């Protein structure tokens, strides 16, 4: 992975001053690409690139050009199927100047225009300038693993891998996006195209934009997760057909993600998903000692060390454990917010930050991680609750108004997602200041587009929840602020075998009873795991670790936390109700007070991390 940034001026040519601006933007991305930095100015275009060298170490520096240099590319990410694409393109007469994986983008575009995007199996965000057409094309990968942000100010289009680079441009103003704040308060985090910065957009996964020489921006969807309509049944095929196919795709996904010219490793939590990756890596690379990385929590109730050690031994891996003390949370919280560029609703990002630091300190640049299995194979408790409701084991009482809201959000008045939102509106309004309450209907994220309802209409309820989880939890939270940003903070590239586009496409065809069988979550994954994993891991109950939240931070009496939550600070900033925050503080401070996450909401952690964000970016 790398960092990219730049801008186009539609009213004048780029100048020496613009070179200084793009260099400053690039400096903000050096953690994403510490190996080399460069910038390029031509015509009315400025491009910046920070390199984390992984493939094509000797000659893969960007920008890259096609044969006649009519196309210029900067790309953040990896094209895992580049070897196959490269051979096809060579056979059709294309000439390659480097051994970089992303050079295939230039030649595919020469042949197909933007229709080539689904030929790519990878994780990427790129900016490609077509000198002949005077058009900039920017795209984000199918699963949104790699971020891409952009804005237009006057006659200038500005973009970057992270918002902090965009903020270095002198035309960009800093203003909080209040709908973004309400999204974080309501859901797991932000949902593209929304960010915490007004008028700065996050390009949605599976989308690309074209910016023409008049500054007109057109956005296009080229991929989405499409589930078949109706109930998902076996269709006469045996269970072994689905298990065999899934194992084949999973193994191939890992094989592709092992492609690198630098050492790689994998995260090992001790749970099902990461253990499956470890065991398959060992099958593919049997005679080499692998590098496994894990967090071991000092609290024995939360330690999974016994399972981590078991899988490390079975997969011929050296286990690099990072012991995480709860004091590390307060020490790393500010840094995790800085890299997330948004408030966070749990402190686990601090553990992710510590883990990637451990990876980098061991000389590893590439890591495999298990995100995605829960969303696409029914790994959360919500899938079981849906089934209980269908069987009338659980009653969900809701008002006609709540049912109307659900229909407006999901196209289904009976679908329950996490909470009764109208009840929660009362909680949010009590937390917001009088000024925000005056415009509550305007900033309420439920009154804005959240998902494409047509993609869940008439779908099996399991697939309906999977699609919503993917859009609301996975893309912009788990693989963005929690994944990409916490890994690249320490110059580590995270790769996700469960998010391979071929594997994901197949997951849409897997019958629901093979995902949630009776009340067994991830049934098909566990069935597959029986073939190559110790039973101690695939038979264990799912382990939910919830990192200590704001009650812990308050009870430790940490100075900067007290400052962020002080009555005067909250009052001066004007976003939250200082009196209500004071009441919550007094409750959370009480010795022994805890929050039963995820069933209860830690209201103050969002207030704390939003306050940190304000200090870092807005004050």
């Amino acid at each position: 992975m790398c960092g990219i940034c730049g801008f186009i001026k539609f009213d004048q040519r780029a100048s020496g001053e613009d070179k200084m601006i793009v260099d400053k933007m690039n400096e903000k991305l050096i953690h994403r690409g510490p190996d080399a930095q460069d910038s390029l100015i031509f015509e009315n275009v400025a491009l910046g690139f920070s390199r984390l060298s992984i493939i094509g170490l000797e000659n893969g520096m960007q920008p890259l050009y096609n044969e006649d240099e009519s196309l210029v590319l900067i790309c953040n990410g990896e094209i895992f199927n580049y070897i196959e694409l490269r051979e096809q393109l060579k056979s059709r007469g294309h000439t390659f100047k480097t051994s970089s994986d992303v050079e295939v983008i230039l030649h595919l575009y020469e042949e197909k225009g933007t229709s080539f995007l689904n030929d790519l199996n990878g994780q990427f965000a790129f900016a490609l300038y077509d000198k002949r057409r005077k058009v900039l094309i920017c795209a984000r990968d199918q699963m949104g693993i790699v971020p891409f942000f952009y804005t237009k100010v006057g006659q200038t289009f500005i973009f970057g891998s992270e918002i902090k680079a965009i903020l270095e441009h002198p035309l960009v103003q800093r203003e909080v996006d209040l709908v973004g704040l309400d999204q974080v308060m309501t859901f797991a985090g932000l949902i593209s195209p929304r960010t915490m910065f007004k008028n700065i957009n996050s390009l949605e996964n599976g989308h690309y934009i074209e910016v023409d020489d008049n500054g007109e921006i057109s956005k296009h969807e080229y991929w989405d997760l499409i589930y078949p309509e109706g109930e998902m049944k076996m269709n006469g095929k045996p269970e072994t057909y689905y298990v065999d196919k899934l194992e084949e795709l999973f193994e191939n996904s890992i094989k592709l993600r092992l492609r690198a010219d630098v050492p790689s490793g994998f995260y090992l939590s001790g749970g099902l998903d990461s253990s499956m990756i470890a065991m398959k890596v060992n099958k593919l690379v049997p005679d080499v000692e692998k590098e496994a990385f894990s967090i071991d929590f000092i609290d024995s109730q939360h330690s999974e060390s016994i399972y981590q050690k078991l899988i490390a031994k079975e997969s011929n891996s050296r286990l690099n454990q990072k012991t995480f003390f709860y004091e590390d949370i307060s020490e790393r919280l500010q840094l995790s917010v800085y890299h997330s560029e948004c408030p966070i609703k749990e402190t686990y990002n601090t553990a992710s930050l510590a883990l990637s630091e451990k990876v980098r300190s061991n000389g590893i640049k590439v890591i495999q991680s298990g995100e995605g299995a829960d969303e696409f194979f029914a790994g959360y408790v919500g899938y079981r609750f849906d089934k209980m409701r269908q069987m009338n084991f659980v009653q969900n009482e809701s008002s006609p108004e709540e049912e109307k809201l659900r229909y407006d959000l999901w196209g289904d008045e009976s679908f329950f997602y996490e909470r009764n939102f109208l009840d929660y509106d009362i909680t949010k309004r009590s937390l917001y200041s009088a000024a925000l309450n005056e415009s509550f209907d305007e900033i309420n994220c439920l009154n804005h587009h959240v998902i494409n309802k047509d993609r869940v209409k008439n779908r099996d309820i399991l697939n309906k929840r999977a699609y919503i989880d993917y859009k609301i939890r996975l893309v912009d939270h788990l693989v963005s602020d929690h994944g990409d940003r916490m890994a690249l903070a320490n110059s580590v590239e995270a790769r996700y075998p469960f998010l391979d586009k071929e594997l994901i496409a197949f997951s849409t065809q897997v019958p629901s009873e093979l995902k949630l069988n009776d009340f067994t979550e991830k049934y098909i994954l566990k069935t597959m795991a029986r073939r190559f994993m110790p039973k101690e891991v695939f038979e264990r109950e799912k382990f939910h670790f919830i990192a200590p939240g704001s009650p812990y931070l308050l009870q430790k009496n940490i100075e900067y936390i007290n400052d962020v939550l002080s009555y005067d600070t909250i009052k001066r900033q004007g976003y939250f109700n200082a009196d209500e925050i004071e009441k919550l503080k007094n409750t959370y401070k009480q010795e022994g007070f805890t929050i039963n996450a995820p069933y209860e909401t830690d209201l103050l952690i969002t207030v704390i991390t939003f306050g940190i964000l304000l200090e870092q970016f807005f004050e």
Side-chain angles (χ1 to χ4, degrees), residues 514-532:
L514 295 185
K515 296 176 181 177
L516 184 68
N517 186 275
D518 196 2
F519 286 100
T520 301
E521 301 159 337
K522 296 196 287 195
Y523 172 81
I524 190 171
L525 290 184
K526 291 176 180 177
T527 302
M528 182 174 77
R530 289 176 184 273
R531 299 176 172 184
F532 54 85

Side-chain angles (χ1 to χ4, degrees), residues 36 77 81 176 193 524 532 555 583 612:
N81 62 335
V176 173
I524 190 171
F532 54 85
Q555 290 162 26
K583 290 178 189 175
I612 293 170

